[in-house]
Amino acid sequence: MRRFVTSTVRRYSTRNFTWWDHVRPAPKDPIMGVTEAFNADSSPNKINLGVGAYRDDEGRPVVLQCVREAGARIVGSQFLESNSAAVSSKMVEECVKLVYGKDSDVVNEGRFAGVQALSGTGACRLFAEFQRRFHPESRIYLPDPTWSNHHNIWRDAQVPSKKYHYYNFDSKSLNFSMLIDDVKNAPDGSFFLFHPCAHNPTGMDPTEEQWKEISYQCKVKNHFPFFDMAYQGFASGDPEKDARAIRIFLEDEHLTGCAQSFAKNMGLYGHRVGCLSILCTDSKQGAAVRGQLQQIARAMYGSPPVHGVLLVSAILSNPDMKSLWIEEVKMMVNRIQKMRMTLQESLENLDSPLNWEHITNQVGLFFFSCLTPKEVEQLAREFHIFMTHDGRISMGGVTTGNVNYLANAIHDVTRSGKEETKILCNVGV
Ligand SMILES: Cc1ncc(COP(=O)(O)O)c(C=O)c1O
């Protein structure tokens, strides 16, 4: 008997050692990998242009004044210890006003389902899960290129994805005719993800007329438009203007979905504040959809955190605080725009053989350069400048102090007029 017990224990303990033997290292996330490489570099000149976070002109992370003031107002809030439902629903109300307009019918008539989400990523993930549950046969159409995590999010929710044409890498502009063809050729009732402003990574948005055409064709095909709004305010400096694409779809009476994030435009990355809203035919349908979304969230992470939501609610619900926020968004956008102009001018003053007009033709946090992966590697190795492999530069990390160093480095790795770069940069710009 004793011998049996010993050998059984031994057998089990041997098995314990094999629990995770089959687990292989995950491939590095393209954006997190850049930060790791940056952290490991000991050069005093190093620059991190990988992560999409805004920095001030000294390269420091920013806490907006409106956030500081909101923080002072919510100190000791009774909600920090209690059920967060009331806090969430107040924020959701402010979020939907910000996206769909404060006087919009959908908001006034409660024709939507809205839930607090774990920033933009969490809102997309919640929606992907909801899509799979209630349209299990569907797929999602994603722009090519797009934020790399979109692919992971819908893959993990087990919703197949397909790319639609978005960007013409030769002309450095929107590939509008092929985009529209893809919308027309997708099976009726497909799900399409759009970036309503400051497209990541290309910085290239459709014009108002083009949005109208996209909306019209989506209507004809009965597609479901899902907007990932991670940068409201970062395209034009005005959150109202940046909601224009969504308002066009609203005018065309689409039912849409929207993921909102306050990571960038309020600098609340660490608080993970976001909102998922889905427009519905009436308030009864809205309540049903909201209940299902809450149930999905409940099994994933229970209830979302409260503190950041109190900050966002305090800012958006108070006219003075909201004005201060809008001013600060403008200030961030102006600084980025100034850096875009300086970078372009510096490259032109260096007599670069390449055309750099796309630096200022693009909008938002990112400059989608035409640097090749080899040039990106050379910038890291020789100049300690880090960016994603596709040559996306976070303009948030470019400052008065480093912009000339950056221009000189870019000039150095591209000036030999490497054919690859020339082809990418100069055709049809
Ligand atoms: C297009 C897009 N969507 C969503 C997100 C997610 O942002 P977060 O989860 O930090 O709010 C990002 C962040 O980079 C983004 O660029």
Side-chain angles (χ1 to χ4, degrees), residues 118-122 147 150 195 200 228 230-231 261 263-264 269 272:
L118 294 179
S119 214
T121 309
W147 178 50
H150 281 147
H195 301 214
N200 176 9
D228 182 9
Y231 301 96
S261 162
K264 317 293 166 84
Y269 199 99
R272 314 307 292 147

